[in-house]
């Protein structure tokens, strides 16, 4: 009975309310749609709360303002009053302590403070996610993130000009943000089997780009009222997301009456019977049905060392180190780059650059879905990820070389770069992490999803911290140096998967040759007879 009461206690209050109102429970398929939606919203909120710092960079550190023309996409990219292209700087003085000669370096340090504590917290958060109630753990992380993102923005209203204040706010926010990714991937892995996992997670992973776009638009929309609002509004947004998670997120199928999704084949029939009985039954029947199953609390987590020994974890983690170095440099610095770079003989305003940068993430949405679909079809995660990383190199070279020719060409090349940069990043952090977290080497009731995800994404986040930091220094020497760093990072990311790529090629080659080999052996045996 203790186990049963523990399971019922973990049932989200929003789901309990829906059961009472409907008089019966939902089917497994409906719950899966709900899990996809709630986790999508959750991580979109996380990414939305990370975008403000990239939007306000050019406000904290002054930028040139020049002629602007309406964009074909209407009022989203706003027409601004303009100054001559050749005029050096506007009278905008920025915000101390970021408006000095070392402004870009300090902005880079702010980014690395957040990402360093994010990556360190990831390893701890992954283990805690496999140990604690994921719903409560995720809720705490989201509300905590919202509070400290909002406090960073309060520095504007409190007229804080002490660099240490902003540094500490970013550090603590990074720790709370670390709760997000291991938790949502673990929840998705718990609810979905491996069939078409790449495509499902590729579509689901659009939350990253949707969050970036939402965060950019939210931050830019209130920028005219003071840069502090650009942090407070996304901070409130993630707090509301945390409330939704608390009310409706069921972290494990067992917690609401379904057997473990990746369990034995016998469980498939159990699921079918459960769906039939729940459609006919009411809440009382559902609670009786739960008593015969193990809740999420009965599972045991695996250690970091055991998770590292799962085949493929280390290579993909190192690959993600460089993949996120590239992706997060664009995430944090693209709006600043657009406002500082002459495009078609013009410079963009801060607001226009922030809005335009969202198109990089539009390409990222397509890239994540495409990478997931291709990897499912080929059954080759490493080959897909490496190919995308190699393709990102010429795309970045073209963007740097020809992105300033015209606004239209800049958009096209930016979206193409986003496709190939975010594709492998999305694939590794979703389908690959879920595959390895449910690897055959982790048997029984062990829980490794959040831990494996934390190892892979935590290692990747170290690269995510390094990229923006190096960009802060290299941008002072010129943007060509930054793009060389990004292209080298993409090359190394692809090379790190070489061993796994060769293994996948050999596996496919051996499978394709098996029928002919068998035929030859048969003919040889026949001749011998």
């Amino acid at each position: 009975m203790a186990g049963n009461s523990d399971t019922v206690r973990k049932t989200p209050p929003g789901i309990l309310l829906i059961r009472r109102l409907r008089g019966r429970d939902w089917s497994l398929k409906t719950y899966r749609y709900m899990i996809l939606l709630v986790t999508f919203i959750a991580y979109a909120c996380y990414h939305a709360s990370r975008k403000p710092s990239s939007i306000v960079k050019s406000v904290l550190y002054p930028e040139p303002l020049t002629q602007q023309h309406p964009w074909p996409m209407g009022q989203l990219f706003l027409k601004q009053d303009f100054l001559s292209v050749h005029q050096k700087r506007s009278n905008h003085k920025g915000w101390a302590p970021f408006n000095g000669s070392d402004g870009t370096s300090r902005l880079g340090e702010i980014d690395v403070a957040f990402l360093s504590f994010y990556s360190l917290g990831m390893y701890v958060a992954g283990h805690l996610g496999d140990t604690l109630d994921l719903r409560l753990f995720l809720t705490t992380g989201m509300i905590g993130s919202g509070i400290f993102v909002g406090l960073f923005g309060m520095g504007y209203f409190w007229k804080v000009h002490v660099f240490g204040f902003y540094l500490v706010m970013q550090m603590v926010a990074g720790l709370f943000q670390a709760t997000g990714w291991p938790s949502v991937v673990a929840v998705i892995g718990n609810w979905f089997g491996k069939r078409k996992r790449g495509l499902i997670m590729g579509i689901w992973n659009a939350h990253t780009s949707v969050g970036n776009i939402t965060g950019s638009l939210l931050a830019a929309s209130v920028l005219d009222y003071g840069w502090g609002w650009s942090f407070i509004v996304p901070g409130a947004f993630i707090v509301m997301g945390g409330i939704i998670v608390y009310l409706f997120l069921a972290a494990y199928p067992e917690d609401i009456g379904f057997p473990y999704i990746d369990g034995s084949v016998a469980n498939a029939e159990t699921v079918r019977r459960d769906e039939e009985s729940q459609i006919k039954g009411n809440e009382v029947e559902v609670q009786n049905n739960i008593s015969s199953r193990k809740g999420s609390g009965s599972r045991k987590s695996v250690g970091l060392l055991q998770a590292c020994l799962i085949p493929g974890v280390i290579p993909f983690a190192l690959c993600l180190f460089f993949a996120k170095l590239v992706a997060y440099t664009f995430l944090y610095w693209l709006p600043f780059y657009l406002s500082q770079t002459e495009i078609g003989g013009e410079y963009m305003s801060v607001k226009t650059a922030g809005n335009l940068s969202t198109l990089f993430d539009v390409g990222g949405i397509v890239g994540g879905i495409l990478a997931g679909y291709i990897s499912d079809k080929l059954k080759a995660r490493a080959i897909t990820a490496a190919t995308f990383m190699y393709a990102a190199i010429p795309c970045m070279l073209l963007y740097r070389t020809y992105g300033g020719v015209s606004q239209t060409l800049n958009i096209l090349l930016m979206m193409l770069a986003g496709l190939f940069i975010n594709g492998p990043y999305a694939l590794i952090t979703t389908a690959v992490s879920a595959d390895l977290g449910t690897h055959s080497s982790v048997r029984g009731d062990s829980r490794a999803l959040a831990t494996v995800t934390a190892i892979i994404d935590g290692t990747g986040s170290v690269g995510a911290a390094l990229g923006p930091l190096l960009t802060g220094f290299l941008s002072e020497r010129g943007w060509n140096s930054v793009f060389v760093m990004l292209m080298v990072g993409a090359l190394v990311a692809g090379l790190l998967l070489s061993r796994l790529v060769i293994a996948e090629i050999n596996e496919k080659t051996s499978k394709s040759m098996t029928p002919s080999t068998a035929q030859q052996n048969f003919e040889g045996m026949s001749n011998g007879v």
Side-chain angles (χ1 to χ4, degrees), residues 467-486:
L469 176 65
L470 292 176
T471 302
F473 293 102
L474 292 175
S475 61
E476 296 177 356
R477 299 183 178 182
W479 288 102
N480 286 338
S481 300
V482 175
F483 275 84
V484 168
M485 175 193 74
L486 296 177

Side-chain angles (χ1 to χ4, degrees), residues 38-55:
V38 174
T39 52
F40 187 99
I41 292 172
Y43 210 68
C45 290
Y46 272 101
H47 261 264
S49 68
R50 297 175 193 175
K51 284 298 292 183
S53 63
S54 68
I55 299 299

Side-chain angles (χ1 to χ4, degrees), residues 35 63 88 114 167 172 226 245 275 289 313 332 350 453 461 501 522:
I35 293 300
E63 88 294 349
K88 292 182 180 179
F114 172 87
L167 201 65
V172 181
V245 166
E275 291 185 18
N289 200 21
V313 168
Y332 279 96
V350 179
T453 302
S461 296
V501 168
F522 176 77

Side-chain angles (χ1 to χ4, degrees), residues 145-176:
S145 296
I147 290 172
F148 283 93
V149 168
L151 285 175
F152 189 103
M154 289 303 297
Y156 170 80
F157 300 99
W158 294 337
K159 301 187 184 305
V160 178
H161 297 285
V162 179
F163 180 66
F165 170 82
Y166 299 104
L167 201 65
V168 171
M169 292 302 103
Q170 287 291 75
M171 289 176 178
V172 181
L175 289 176
F176 277 105

Side-chain angles (χ1 to χ4, degrees), residues 101-163:
S101 59
D102 59 347
T104 56
S105 299
R106 288 202 162 187
L107 290 170
E109 290 168 15
I110 286 291
D111 291 340
V112 80
F114 172 87
L115 292 167
S116 295
F117 276 75
Y118 174 79
S119 59
L120 291 173
M122 186 75 72
Y123 296 101
V124 178
H127 184 69
L128 291 176
D130 279 333
T131 307
L132 304 176
D133 187 321
L134 279 172
R135 177 173 62 91
L136 299 181
F137 186 59
L138 193 57
T139 300
T140 302
M142 294 180 74
I143 293 176
S145 296
I147 290 172
F148 283 93
V149 168
L151 285 175
F152 189 103
M154 289 303 297
Y156 170 80
F157 300 99
W158 294 337
K159 301 187 184 305
V160 178
H161 297 285
V162 179
F163 180 66

Side-chain angles (χ1 to χ4, degrees), residues 129-435:
D130 279 333
T131 307
L132 304 176
D133 187 321
L134 279 172
R135 177 173 62 91
L136 299 181
F137 186 59
L138 193 57
T139 300
T140 302
M142 294 180 74
I143 293 176
S145 296
I147 290 172
F148 283 93
V149 168
L151 285 175
F152 189 103
M154 289 303 297
Y156 170 80
F157 300 99
W158 294 337
K159 301 187 184 305
V160 178
H161 297 285
V162 179
F163 180 66
F165 170 82
Y166 299 104
L167 201 65
V168 171
M169 292 302 103
Q170 287 291 75
M171 289 176 178
V172 181
L175 289 176
F176 277 105
Q177 289 267 326
T179 61
W181 192 241
S183 300
V184 295
V185 173
V187 171
I188 291 296
N190 292 332
W191 277 91
F192 291 88
K194 294 185 178 181
R195 185 173 177 269
K196 294 186 178 181
R197 180 178 275 171
L199 177 60
I200 291 171
M201 286 193 155
I203 298 171
W204 171 77
N205 193 66
H207 54 50
T208 299
S209 297
V210 170
N212 290 340
I213 293 169
T214 303
S216 295
L217 296 178
L218 283 176
S221 67
V222 295
L223 190 60
D224 291 340
Y225 302 101
W227 65 260
W229 286 109
S230 295
F231 286 86
I232 292 173
V233 172
F237 186 65
I238 191 174
V239 169
M240 291 189 292
I243 295 172
I244 293 174
V245 166
Y246 176 78
L247 292 175
F248 297 105
L249 181 66
Y252 293 90
E254 304 98 303
D255 291 344
I256 53 175
F258 293 97
Y260 184 46
I261 299 301
D262 267 337
S264 63
V265 177
N267 280 341
E269 179 62 23
T270 306
V271 171
R272 185 187 66 78
R273 291 197 303 268
D274 287 343
E275 291 185 18
E276 292 175 355
S277 63
Q278 288 172 349
I279 290 173
K280 298 176 182 178
N282 53 27
E283 182 185 355
V284 176
E285 290 175 318
V286 171
Q287 300 301 337
N288 291 335
N289 200 21
I290 291 174
S291 64
S292 64
R293 303 190 182 97
K294 294 181 287 185
S296 62
S298 65
R299 295 175 180 274
K300 60 183 180 180
S301 61
V302 301
L304 283 174
L305 180 59
Q306 184 182 352
C308 285
L309 295 177
I310 296 174
V313 168
I314 297 301
F316 275 112
L318 294 175
C319 172
L320 191 63
F321 176 95
F322 290 96
K324 288 192 76 168
L325 182 151
V326 177
Y328 268 68
T329 298
F330 276 91
L331 173 69
Y332 279 96
W333 283 94
L334 183 57
F336 184 80
Y337 171 77
L338 290 169
S339 67
Q340 296 283 326
T341 304
E342 186 177 330
I343 300 174
E346 302 170 356
Y347 286 89
M348 298 179 185
S349 69
V350 179
K351 192 169 187 177
T352 301
N355 289 334
L356 180 64
S357 67
T358 60
L359 296 178
F360 177 85
D361 293 295
V362 173
I365 293 174
V366 178
I369 296 173
L370 190 61
Y373 176 77
I374 292 173
S375 69
D376 277 346
K377 284 293 183 180
L378 297 179
K379 292 183 172 57
R381 309 285 197 211
I383 292 175
T384 305
T387 302
F388 270 63
M389 289 310 309
Y390 292 140
I393 298 172
C395 289
M396 286 188 284
L397 180 61
L398 289 171
Y399 181 65
R400 175 56 185 162
T401 306
Y402 299 105
V405 172
S406 70
Q407 298 166 346
T408 302
L409 191 58
N410 187 284
I411 290 175
L412 294 175
L413 293 175
M414 184 197 305
M415 294 177 68
L416 191 63
L419 186 152
F420 287 109
I421 290 170
N422 283 353
Y425 162 37
L427 180 65
I428 295 172
T429 54
T430 54
V432 170
S433 296
D435 288 348

